Amino acid sequence: MIDVVDLTVRYGVAVALHAVNLTVADGEMVALIGPNGAGKSTLVDTLSGIRRPAGGTVRITGRLAHVPEGRQVFPDLTVDDNLRLGGWRIRNRDTGPIYQILPGLAPLRRRRAGQLSGGEQQMVAVGRALMARPDVLAVDELSLGLAPLVVADLVRHLRELNAEHGLAVLLIEQNARLALDLCSRGYVLEAGQIVASGSAAELAASPRVADAYLGAS
Ligand code: ATP
């Protein structure tokens, strides 16, 4: 689905990503964890074509949709119109299936997105991405600023989409515990470089990840 080889991205002279290698296979859920400023958003932005690589290659098989950091819903548009925007490129205007997948959105369909809670807006952002009928979803900071119960609901939906629709997911998260719990495999990005990768269990057990990202417990 996603095959990133030796990817380097620069902002002027500053190197944001340095020779990054990462893959997401068909139907796989993969975590990308790392601290603030590590380059996680730069990586997803490059996957979705918002940024150009200075070196290396990005290959995407099938359709990628991006749930951007901070949701970025259109506050003055209704939920239904926000969803429609996600289907614009493939001329998909049928929002019905999204309300079946994310039933919490159904009673909100005529509300302006700006009036919704953070969790509801995140649900809109996920639904909007699904309107593009993606094979793989890149989710940038799913949990940021949301209450644990709201996050649990979003996670449940991602699991269902993966299990029932075979949707592959690249989950970018500062909450490493959540990411490694949801995903089968992961990468750790620090200062623009992949410093560790492996199964979620391997990463969770590695002292480097446990100390820096999972906290002492
Ligand atoms: P966060 O979760 O805080 O967004 P991140 O891991 O997603 O962090 P990026 O936003 O990708 O990190 O940033 C990677 C590096 O690139 C940082 O050092 C950041 O300051 C720098 N950077 C990001 N965007 C720009 C830009 N438009 N111009 C210059 N430098 C940038």
Side-chain angles (χ1 to χ4, degrees), residues 11 16 35-43 51 69 140-141 174 189:
Y11 294 109
N36 260 331
K40 303 183 299 297
S41 296
T42 301
L43 179 61
R51 304 225 164 267
E69 185 173 359
D140 198 353
E141 302 290 0
Q174 281 186 41
L189 187 69

